[in-house]
Amino acid sequence: NQPVLTILFNDRIVNKSKIGSYYKYIFKRNTNRKFYDSTHIPENKILYLKKLITEISNLKLSLISDENMKVKIAKILGRGDVIRTLNDKLFTEMFSELRWNNKDVETTRDGIDINSLELPGNEVKKYMLLKKVPKIRYLLPKNIIRDMAKPLLIGCSHICCISMKGKPDRKKMFELGRTLQTIWLQATKDNLAFHPWTILPFLIIRSLYFNNQGLTKDDLEELALLKNELTKLFNLDQGYFPIFIFRLSISPNSSVLSLRRYFESFAHFI
């Protein structure tokens, strides 16, 4: 396979002070999916994140903390979950990413450890049932699927949206990745819980720029509506569209961390 990225090591850093202020947080950064109590993040930390993103990219960061607005956005994001759950291809992809026991976690070192989802009560058993009998999901009312994640979203401090203008290309997506990692590391530095909520924005991107792969006509019509509703609620500037959504909160540390693949499994030194 052709490499997606080549890195040239031209010099060695002798003075560790030049490494950068975020280096030590790389190993602490993680996805925190815990339920929160709506405690608000101090305004100075939020303002710094907004300032930071404008300093390093042409992307924009919008944040919403109002309770009524969070309820509206939770319903929109929940409708994205409905699309993923009822679409056979997307549902299969979702469950292929889950790791169901310690052996799978250790063997693959990728995907999502089921325990890292921080599911309450018997929710894990519900996922196991869906894995064994996938068609049972068609019997669930759509509003139940839509509202499953509602407590997670309403209970956070801020629902955040990174928006981009114009068609995404390699350069813009690299810029997005760099920007995202910077603000994620800053959030880690500030002891904030960071939880990406990527399903709906990624489906919107797929519908707009990647030939609608795996999406039905009904899916596309719904995604067009959801894109417009998100754009209005986050008050995005003309020409911008949501490309990454995440939630921020003050929370205890994650109970379980998903493992990461060893660097050597996907990189080659020459």
Side-chain angles (χ1 to χ4, degrees):
N1 295 331
Q2 292 295 317
V4 296
L5 179 68
T6 300
I7 302 175
L8 301 179
F9 295 92
N10 294 320
D11 199 1
R12 181 180 295 275
I13 296 177
V14 178
N15 185 350
K16 291 187 177 181
S17 65
K18 294 182 180 180
I19 289 178
S21 60
Y22 292 125
Y23 174 75
K24 64 181 178 181
Y25 298 103
I26 292 174
F27 308 99
K28 299 179 181 180
R29 189 216 70 176
N30 73 290
T31 296
N32 189 327
R33 301 182 178 90
K34 277 187 174 292
F35 285 76
Y36 311 133
D37 61 3
S38 297
T39 301
H40 272 218
I41 296 168
E43 188 66 18
N44 65 312
K45 292 186 178 183
I46 294 300
L47 291 175
Y48 184 75
L49 287 178
K50 294 191 74 171
K51 178 174 178 287
L52 184 63
I53 198 171
T54 57
E55 287 177 348
I56 60 178
S57 73
N58 293 316
L59 301 165
K60 295 194 176 182
L61 177 62
S62 306
L63 306 98
I64 287 178
S65 59
D66 177 79
E67 296 298 314
N68 292 328
M69 292 289 284
K70 284 192 291 185
V71 170
K72 292 179 180 180
I73 293 174
K75 288 182 179 180
I76 294 174
L77 297 178
R79 284 160 62 189
D81 290 341
V82 171
I83 294 174
R84 179 180 62 169
T85 302
L86 299 183
N87 180 296
D88 289 336
K89 179 177 176 60
L90 299 177
F91 180 83
T92 300
E93 288 177 354
M94 173 178 67
F95 270 70
S96 69
E97 294 176 0
L98 294 175
R99 303 294 174 255
W100 302 91
N101 52 59
N102 290 335
K103 182 180 178 181
D104 288 345
V105 170
E106 292 285 351
T107 301
T108 62
R109 296 189 68 87
D110 62 13
I112 300 173
D113 184 340
I114 187 70
N115 294 312
S116 73
L117 295 181
E118 307 278 4
L119 297 171
N122 293 319
E123 289 298 312
V124 173
K125 292 182 180 179
K126 292 180 182 179
Y127 272 70
M128 295 292 288
L129 179 61
L130 282 171
K131 181 175 182 283
K132 292 179 181 179
V133 192
K135 290 186 178 180
I136 200 172
R137 69 191 194 276
Y138 296 123
L139 302 178
L140 296 173
K142 289 184 178 180
N143 65 305
I144 290 181
I145 301 173
R146 184 197 67 193
D147 293 339
M148 284 179 65
K150 189 176 178 181
L152 280 171
L153 292 159
I154 296 175
C156 71
S157 172
H158 288 73
I159 301 178
C160 314
C161 176
I162 298 177
S163 57
M164 174 185 291
K165 187 174 184 179
K167 182 178 180 180
D169 54 25
R170 287 187 181 183
K171 184 177 180 180
K172 287 182 179 179
M173 295 305 288
F174 187 85
E175 180 183 51
L176 169 66
R178 176 173 170 266
T179 303
L180 173 61
Q181 292 304 326
T182 301
I183 60 175
W184 197 335
L185 291 170
Q186 179 62 43
T188 303
K189 184 177 180 180
D190 287 339
N191 294 314
L192 303 179
F194 189 109
H195 179 191
W197 207 279
T198 58
I199 300 306
L200 182 53
F202 284 4
L203 288 179
I204 290 173
I205 296 170
R206 183 182 291 195
S207 69
L208 292 174
Y209 302 112
F210 293 94
N211 301 321
N212 309 328
Q213 186 177 358
L215 298 172
T216 67
K217 181 180 177 182
D218 288 342
D219 292 340
L220 294 173
E221 291 176 354
E222 176 74 341
L223 286 170
L225 292 174
L226 295 177
K227 171 184 172 292
N228 291 336
E229 290 179 33
L230 276 181
T231 299
K232 291 178 182 178
L233 284 175
F234 279 108
N235 195 27
L236 302 184
D237 292 341
Q238 187 173 3
Y240 280 79
F241 68 95
I243 198 164
F244 199 93
I245 291 174
F246 59 97
R247 63 188 185 116
L248 280 177
S249 285
I250 297 173
S251 165
N253 293 331
S254 301
S255 304
V256 176
L257 302 181
S258 295
L259 298 182
R260 298 175 182 176
R261 291 174 61 188
Y262 294 115
F263 182 77
E264 294 80 4
S265 68
F266 57 86
H268 302 279
F269 284 98
I270 300 177

